[in-house]
Amino acid sequence: MKKYLFLSVLVATTYTASAQHANPLDAPVYYAVQDALAKDAAATQLNLRDQSLFSVPSDLVRLTNLRFLNVMRNHFETWDEDIFALSRLEVLNIRNNKLKAIPPDIASLLKLVKLDAAANSITVIPEEIGRLQDLRFLHLSLNALTSLPATIGACRQLEVLELAHNQLSHVPATLRALKHLKQLQLGYNQLNEFDPAWGRFRSLEQLNLEYNYLQRLTPQIKGLQQLKTLILTHNKLASLPDEITALASLELLVLSDNKLEYLPKEISRLKNLKTLIAVNNRFGPSEQERIRKALPGCEVYF
């Protein structure tokens, strides 16, 4: 179980870390607006995290070349308009504040590649999010979202979409347009169905659906030919479709806390599976033995 917990945390944080940190090898990182203005008015990286700020410093708009801005773990309850004047911004980290919405003005930041607004109290994502055509990383976990705008499907460059720990009972069908999506985090929501359209995520490598209310997976899951990690912990699955054995790239499969008594007969087809975690199900001794024999190169946990 300890290994399972470690793997879950690792999968959940692999991409998140890259959205939080400036790169001092690219350019100097400044920790105060006045310091940046005094030393380099053309500064591109500003880190204001953990400074107990309620708003951004008034001179921020003078740093017109900013590409990276980190204001995580402050006390922002509303978005400061000066942020939207930073038209060259590529990375914005505003996680761990007290924001309740993302305003339509987010569309002013047309060069955004990474937006991390996780761990706030956000209930509303504006339709204008779809105008961010360069967006590749969108982190919205640990908020209070009950829905997403259909326009999110217009963010065609998205590679990482993190929506865990919200209150989503469905996601827009337009997500199927995200042809470059590699990671989709939907754990800890209110999902009742596995959308067959998700089988069109040809580039998807990680799919996390833990702690939802899924009762079945659809045969279309076989379309996820690049999938390496599939986490289905704590749903209501009583069986898996035979088509899951077509996931030739799958390396980690987590099925714990469901109602499974059997796995598909052709489970041995998962030649690249390295770890199967299926604790707290209903597998009998004979089925456990069959699974272990069918997966000789896989670490199996019941």
Side-chain angles (χ1 to χ4, degrees):
M1 287 301 292
K2 288 183 179 179
K3 181 175 182 179
Y4 157 57
L5 292 172
F6 169 76
L7 286 168
S8 295
V9 172
L10 179 63
V11 167
T13 58
T14 298
Y15 287 93
T16 302
S18 63
Q20 295 178 19
H21 304 294
N23 187 349
L25 298 179
D26 289 342
V29 180
Y30 295 95
Y31 297 88
V33 171
Q34 292 304 320
D35 188 31
L37 289 171
K39 295 180 180 179
D40 182 7
T44 60
Q45 301 193 93
L46 182 65
N47 189 343
L48 301 177
R49 63 179 288 174
D50 295 301
Q51 295 188 20
S52 298
L53 300 173
F54 289 88
S55 62
V56 297
S58 58
D59 287 340
L60 179 70
V61 292
R62 294 173 58 190
L63 296 173
T64 56
N65 287 297
L66 274 189
R67 307 291 200 276
F68 176 97
L69 176 61
N70 186 347
V71 291
M72 72 178 288
R73 275 203 297 267
N74 281 289
H75 303 301
F76 297 166
E77 295 186 4
T78 59
W79 290 69
D80 197 308
E81 292 183 1
D82 287 348
I83 292 176
F84 301 120
L86 303 173
S87 60
R88 298 184 181 183
L89 206 60
E90 296 177 6
V91 176
L92 174 58
N93 184 347
I94 198 165
R95 67 184 291 132
N96 281 103
N97 278 280
K98 300 177 181 178
L99 302 171
K100 294 181 173 58
I102 294 179
D105 288 342
I106 196 69
S108 301
L109 304 179
L110 291 176
K111 293 186 180 296
L112 268 190
V113 173
K114 299 177 182 178
L115 173 59
D116 190 342
N120 281 280
S121 299
I122 295 171
T123 61
V124 177
I125 306 297
E127 292 185 356
E128 286 78 3
I129 196 78
R131 293 177 60 185
L132 302 182
Q133 297 294 299
D134 292 334
L135 196 64
R136 291 169 51 204
F137 304 89
L138 180 55
H139 306 275
L140 295 170
S141 294
L142 294 162
N143 278 292
L145 296 170
T146 58
S147 65
L148 298 172
T151 53
I152 200 168
C155 299
R156 298 295 176 87
Q157 300 304 314
L158 268 182
E159 296 179 19
V160 174
L161 179 55
E162 293 187 351
L163 296 163
H165 291 272
N166 278 284
Q167 299 173 29
L168 298 169
S169 59
H170 67 282
V171 293
T174 53
L175 286 189
R176 70 184 67 174
L178 303 178
K179 303 299 185 184
H180 300 288
L181 198 64
K182 294 181 180 179
Q183 181 186 7
L184 179 58
Q185 298 277 350
L186 283 167
Y188 292 86
N189 276 288
Q190 309 287 327
L191 300 172
N192 290 285
E193 295 181 346
F194 183 94
D195 190 333
W198 296 345
R200 301 182 185 180
F201 291 140
R202 305 302 186 191
S203 298
L204 198 66
E205 296 178 2
Q206 298 180 10
L207 176 58
N208 190 333
L209 291 163
E210 65 185 337
Y211 282 83
N212 278 284
Y213 299 92
L214 303 177
Q215 297 187 39
R216 59 185 293 269
L217 304 180
T218 63
Q220 286 81 1
I221 196 172
K222 66 182 180 181
L224 303 178
Q225 287 299 300
Q226 300 302 315
L227 197 67
K228 296 180 180 179
T229 298
L230 177 58
I231 300 180
L232 296 164
T233 308
H234 208 286
N235 279 277
K236 297 181 179 296
L237 298 171
S239 64
L240 297 179
D242 291 339
E243 287 78 6
I244 201 170
T245 65
L247 301 181
S249 300
L250 198 62
E251 297 178 0
L252 170 63
L253 177 59
V254 186
L255 301 168
S256 299
D257 297 302
N258 279 284
K259 302 177 180 179
L260 298 167
E261 297 182 22
Y262 304 96
L263 292 186
K265 292 181 179 180
E266 301 298 324
I267 196 69
S268 60
R269 293 177 62 194
L270 297 178
K271 301 295 185 183
N272 287 310
L273 194 64
K274 298 176 181 177
T275 306
L276 169 62
I277 304 171
V279 301
N280 295 331
N281 278 281
R282 300 174 180 177
F283 299 111
S286 61
E287 178 64 1
Q288 291 183 19
E289 183 179 0
R290 181 188 74 85
I291 293 169
R292 285 198 168 98
K293 287 182 178 180
L295 301 169
C298 178
E299 292 190 57
V300 180
Y301 299 88
F302 291 114

